[in-house]
Amino acid sequence: MTELNELTASEAARVLASGEASAEDLMRVCLDRVAARDDTVRAWAFLDPELALANARAADRHRQAGNALGPLHGLPVGIKDIIETADMPTENGSDLYRGQRTGRDAACVARLRNAGAVIMGKTVTTELANTCPSKTRNPHNPEHTPGGSSAGSAAAVADFQVTLALGTQTAGSVIRPGSFNGIHALKPSLGLIAREGVLMQSHTLDTVGVYGRSVEDLALIADSVAAFDATDAFSFGGRRSSLTADLNLEAPAPRFAFLETPAWPQADAGARDAIERVVEGLGARCVRESLPSPFDRVLAFHATVMAAEMLTYYGPDAEASPDKVSDPLKARLSAARDVRAGDYVEAQLARGQINDALASLLDRYDAVLCLPAPGAAPKGLGSTGNPIFNGLWTYLGVPCVSLPRLSLDGLPLGVQLVGKPGEDGKLLRTARWLDRELGG
């Protein structure tokens, strides 16, 4: 029998709505799982069991009173600890913010609560959502990294400690941990989910993403938090359809463009073989393609933009309190000072040209298929792994999904799909088809 905490969010929502189990029942089994596994996985930055249970009981009283239920009613959700929560600390994984309580919810957290979700706790992030590894371990093998910077969110969902979670991505911080931990992950179009109340690292890259155990879960939570923010120039202002409704639209079987991408030389031989088998298995539905220059320089463009904007947002605090910043982050900030203004402008201008080429490619295919990481989660805890297969797509602002359908050396490896900006629903529909095709 499947335990409550092992259900997908879509399954758990139906169970709670029917009255077969309560939100408190679900929260208790999640907390029991944390108690049994926290010494190993270490996914939580803040978790108050009594607060979590009290909020679950409040959700049950709301249902018992006959009130209307939101799509996430009673479901526990983990929140990456760079996203503000009114009733919990938001420490950004950094001594700079130790003990910080802002007393307010980020826009995405407020929408989660409005949808009926129970905020379970704050999940571990790397320092300032950057490069330094966190205390979190990969639940499949604690000697391996869970990735970063959304380490705790991905590991907690993978280990059945929470049903859904929020992460963020500036380079590869949603998709790579999704791949390493063997769960479903969505980095949506830039600005689909409002960033108000989320620590800013890069205003042209930072994207709030989601974790779940099925493609339906991704649509369910993304629908609940997606919102336009008129105060954010990068908030997505295009058509916003229901992702869940888009999943159920009738459509022919999709076609895929396989891109090695400029990151291909850094992929492990085993990862290359694994994704090549997927390509071969899809037959005529998947065609090897390429994109013209300047796509060949996309990795450098992303690195330039991230470095310059990271220095803008983190530099002043790091200079004011150097004793509260790790040496690796200091080194990254120091290196960022060498970015030339002309290179930054060139990188920003190249984005449109590359996106036009990608859009032309996706006029002929339903999604790009590619690796989500150079391989499975590396052994050792001194690194979060290489985001090289992710940063290029973050730079372009396009939606990406990782599906947990491959394995390598006994560890998970995802399959990454990429779509056009604003076509997140189509991408999820395509992802569900492939998920089922690969055995999901």
Side-chain angles (χ1 to χ4, degrees), residues 136-162:
T136 306
R137 306 293 185 256
N138 192 306
H140 297 275
N141 186 329
E143 294 183 357
H144 290 248
T145 179
S149 59
S150 305
S153 287
V157 172
D159 200 50
F160 306 112
Q161 297 181 18
V162 72

Side-chain angles (χ1 to χ4, degrees), residues 394-420:
T394 314
Y395 162 76
L396 295 173
V398 295
C400 309
V401 176
S402 182
L403 305 174
R405 293 300 163 223
L406 301 177
S407 64
L408 193 60
D409 301 325
L411 289 168
L413 176 66
V415 175
Q416 183 170 208
L417 295 181
V418 180
K420 285 185 181 180

